[in-house]
Amino acid sequence: MLLPPDLEELIDKNHPVRVINAVLDHLDIDAISAKYKGGGTSSYHPRLLLKVLVYAYICNEYSSRRIEQLLKRDIQFMWLAGMATPDHNTINRFRSEKLKDVLKDVFTQVVKLLVDSGHIGLKDINVDGTKVEANANRYTFVWGGAIKTNKEKMAGQLEQLWDYAESIAAEELKDKRPQAFSPTDPQAVQQTIDQLNEVLKDKAVDKKVKQKLNYARKNWPANTAKYNEQEKILAGRNSYSKTDPDATFMRMKEDHMKNGQLKPGYNVQISSENQFVLNYTLHPNPTDTLTLPAHIEDFEQQLEHTPDTLTADAGYGSQQNYELLEAAGIEAYVKYNYFDKEQQGRRSPFAADQLHYNEAEDYIVCPMGQHMQNAGSFKSKTSAGYEQTITNYQASNCNGCPLRGMCHKQKGNRIIEVNHRLRKLKQQAAERLRSEAGIQKRKKRCADVEPVFANIKHNKGFRRFMLRSKAKVTIEIGLIAMAHNLQKFTKASQTKKNISIAA
């Protein structure tokens, strides 16, 4: 070659890398730049590293070592980086440290560019979630239920030891019995064991009791402290992985037979419109029901906008979510758990929510026409602490009823629990979902938000995080969401033959 090649001539004018370069040149990255203290040796510009990372995610390349190799031999990466060759440590530090807590703002700028270009309007959104496996050991875990069982067992054994000590040293232990043997304070557990040892040291004690006391003295105070620390990490969850304490064990349907597999992971929630990702949040909850309040709050905070309508599946149908959307002025097209069965006519006529309610006289009509009278109300709290009012209704006489075997299996007269507020909210939701607009939105939801997950998991092969901890995993899902949006924007721009973001 007589003259060295020019990379500018080797990159096609309509190549996606040019669009990515143009879009990211227009973003404000002052928040990222502020993380560089200055001084010391020269460093690579954060905009350059951001471009490289986003384009790598578009190309389904997530390994920092693999990206390092591409910067040395792939002409698109070489052109984008201006022949710079940061090593994998630099790339990984930028991704896991410099983008922490600031990438969401950069992603929001991309969403606002999509709004300005007319690709999305932020008015009608679809919400759904998927579970993504964490980069954590599947076999090193802590269960909240096991901690509770062990603490209860410890408390029971402490009480038995005290009862035994009282049987042979009643005078010494008189008026000294603890009010409770709950092992929550390691010092209290240690004090109780020391007190028992002191009382029994000169007594003829059973050999097994001595062994148990010695074991308790060596292990129980330390175990109590360990359980307290584990419960602090759990923070209300039912499990966590020892190699990534932020990850919760969730049942994932990943094999071709859809067999449930229990793996550490995160629940990723997204809002979408026209198959663009508008917002994303991560949650430790295995189910979607409790994720909506935090997701909507983050949506409104990031985009400074409240959507007009929201469409979601039955996983979000709860009193808390319906009332939240109603208070926010968002028209909710959200299914409840039995909506599809009702549509298909497979709902049992004996189900409590299928029985007729006379609001004027406050009674429910059973399948035989008997009036079930109000038997009192009580307050109940959900697992999220949301308070509900439940009313009991009881039939007056179920003896000899020919439908009793199909109606209920209770010993006496049938009693049902009714949440009138939720019942009314479900009726309103059903009316919206069955309307012409509701039917269109239900059809569109499946073709809007589901393909986003399909593209991320199947086409892009992103089924497992590479980093650990919620803060770093949030960066990963932000990069993959940004890559998805820019890749789709690039295709739309090429279709319109308009790749200039400035235009």
Side-chain angles (χ1 to χ4, degrees):
M1 300 177 71
L2 188 63
L3 296 173
D6 184 3
L7 284 177
E8 189 70 31
E9 295 176 357
L10 296 177
I11 306 295
D12 188 81
K13 290 184 178 181
N14 293 325
H15 197 280
V17 73
R18 293 186 181 273
V19 181
I20 306 307
N21 184 62
V23 170
L24 296 184
D25 272 338
H26 283 73
L27 299 183
D28 179 6
I29 63 165
D30 288 346
I32 303 176
S33 300
K35 292 210 167 188
Y36 290 84
K37 296 180 180 179
T41 185
S42 60
S43 56
Y44 294 97
H45 197 283
R47 194 182 298 276
L48 180 151
L49 294 173
L50 180 64
K51 290 178 181 180
V52 169
L53 265 178
V54 172
Y55 187 63
Y57 273 67
I58 287 176
C59 298
N60 303 353
E61 299 290 353
Y62 313 118
S63 167
S64 58
R65 293 180 183 274
R66 174 68 178 163
I67 296 171
E68 178 186 6
Q69 294 174 359
L70 291 171
L71 285 167
K72 297 176 181 177
R73 69 187 192 197
D74 187 285
I75 60 171
Q76 283 86 27
F77 279 89
M78 294 165 69
W79 176 85
L80 188 63
M83 298 299 291
T85 56
D87 63 10
H88 66 275
N89 285 324
T90 302
I91 296 168
N92 195 48
R93 278 197 302 270
F94 177 77
R95 176 171 56 183
S96 59
E97 297 175 13
K98 304 302 182 183
L99 293 181
K100 188 177 180 180
D101 300 326
V102 296
L103 181 64
K104 191 67 174 283
D105 294 333
V106 178
F107 170 81
T108 302
Q109 291 181 57
V110 173
V111 174
K112 290 180 178 179
L113 283 174
L114 293 172
V115 175
D116 294 340
S117 61
H119 290 82
I120 54 177
L122 301 181
K123 293 183 178 180
D124 305 307
I125 69 170
N126 301 277
V127 177
D128 205 355
T130 189
K131 297 169 187 173
V132 180
E133 186 179 355
N135 181 15
N137 193 317
R138 302 175 188 176
Y139 308 106
T140 56
F141 44 78
V142 174
W143 293 103
I147 295 174
K148 182 180 178 182
T149 301
N150 290 338
K151 293 181 79 170
E152 289 175 353
K153 189 182 295 184
M154 194 186 304
Q157 291 179 351
L158 266 176
E159 189 170 7
Q160 289 175 6
L161 287 171
W162 193 277
D163 291 340
Y164 176 84
E166 280 187 332
S167 67
I168 61 176
E171 288 298 324
E172 291 90 333
L173 294 175
K174 187 177 181 180
D175 300 329
K176 295 182 179 179
R177 187 182 185 93
Q179 292 183 351
F181 292 93
S182 177
T184 55
D185 184 3
Q187 293 182 351
V189 173
Q190 183 69 60
Q191 185 179 357
T192 302
I193 295 171
D194 290 343
Q195 196 172 5
L196 289 171
N197 278 321
E198 181 66 26
V199 170
L200 298 175
K201 66 179 181 180
D202 298 327
K203 306 291 183 182
V205 181
D206 184 86
K207 184 178 179 180
K208 291 184 178 180
V209 174
K210 281 186 177 181
Q211 291 176 345
K212 186 174 287 187
L213 273 171
N214 287 332
Y215 179 84
R217 178 176 54 81
K218 293 178 181 178
N219 297 283
W220 287 1
N223 286 350
T224 301
K226 181 182 72 173
Y227 295 149
N228 290 343
E229 186 63 28
Q230 289 174 342
E231 286 180 330
K232 186 178 179 181
I233 296 173
L234 280 169
R237 294 178 292 162
N238 63 350
S239 64
Y240 73 84
S241 172
K242 290 182 180 179
T243 49
D244 184 358
D246 290 342
T248 306
F249 276 79
M250 306 177 182
R251 193 162 295 279
M252 303 183 185
K253 297 179 180 178
E254 291 190 351
D255 67 355
H256 63 285
M257 296 298 291
K258 293 187 177 180
N259 293 319
Q261 302 178 61
L262 205 60
K263 297 179 181 179
Y266 294 89
N267 189 344
V268 179
Q269 296 286 314
I270 68 165
S271 303
S272 74
E273 182 184 353
N274 296 333
Q275 296 183 9
F276 286 100
V277 179
L278 310 181
N279 189 43
Y280 61 88
T281 52
L282 262 77
H283 306 266
N285 313 88
T287 58
D288 295 333
T289 311
L290 304 178
T291 63
L292 191 62
H295 185 77
I296 293 299
E297 181 182 358
D298 189 77
F299 182 99
E300 293 176 336
Q301 181 180 350
Q302 288 294 324
L303 295 170
E304 299 175 339
H305 179 83
T306 300
D308 295 338
T309 69
L310 183 147
T311 308
D313 61 19
Y316 301 86
S318 69
Q319 179 180 345
Q320 180 180 6
N321 291 341
Y322 285 134
E323 291 184 338
L324 167 75
L325 296 173
E326 186 178 57
I330 303 173
E331 192 171 5
Y333 292 89
V334 180
K335 295 180 182 179
Y336 47 87
N337 48 358
Y338 293 116
F339 177 78
D340 287 333
K341 284 189 175 181
E342 288 178 358
Q343 290 293 99
Q344 298 165 7
R346 296 190 294 112
R347 190 79 173 102
S348 171
F350 300 102
D353 56 355
Q354 296 296 300
L355 303 180
H356 174 70
Y357 172 62
N358 187 313
E359 187 174 359
E361 300 183 26
D362 191 21
Y363 66 80
I364 287 178
V365 182
C366 82
M368 282 296 291
Q370 182 181 169
H371 291 183
M372 303 178 71
Q373 301 298 335
N374 188 325
S377 301
F378 63 93
K379 300 290 185 180
S380 174
K381 285 189 176 181
T382 65
S383 57
Y386 197 76
E387 191 174 85
Q388 299 175 320
T389 301
I390 309 297
T391 305
N392 286 329
Y393 289 87
Q394 184 173 23
S396 57
N397 184 15
C398 291
N399 293 331
C401 177
L403 299 178
R404 176 167 183 161
M406 294 181 287
C407 183
H408 71 99
K409 296 182 180 179
Q410 300 175 20
K411 289 184 178 180
N413 297 327
R414 184 180 184 185
I415 300 176
I416 61 174
E417 295 181 351
V418 178
N419 183 338
H420 285 298
R421 176 60 177 157
L422 181 57
R423 188 184 182 108
K424 186 170 291 186
L425 289 169
K426 285 182 176 180
Q427 289 174 352
Q428 294 171 357
E431 291 175 3
R432 284 193 295 267
L433 290 165
R434 290 168 184 155
S435 66
E436 186 175 344
I439 293 171
Q440 292 301 319
K441 288 187 180 299
R442 281 191 282 140
K443 290 180 178 179
K444 186 177 180 180
R445 187 200 71 83
C446 299
D448 196 297
V449 67
E450 299 291 353
V452 175
F453 290 135
N455 180 54
I456 291 174
K457 283 190 166 184
H458 182 74
N459 296 339
K460 304 191 78 59
F462 192 85
R463 296 186 179 89
R464 192 171 189 257
F465 291 111
M466 298 189 68
L467 305 179
R468 293 179 177 176
S469 80
K470 183 179 179 181
K472 293 181 180 180
V473 164
T474 303
I475 295 171
E476 281 195 90
I477 200 63
L479 286 170
I480 200 73
M482 192 185 302
H484 170 87
N485 283 352
L486 291 176
Q487 190 171 25
K488 186 171 176 59
F489 171 76
T490 300
K491 292 180 180 178
S493 300
Q494 290 175 342
T495 302
K496 295 180 180 179
K497 295 182 180 180
N498 175 23
I499 64 170
S500 174
I501 188 65

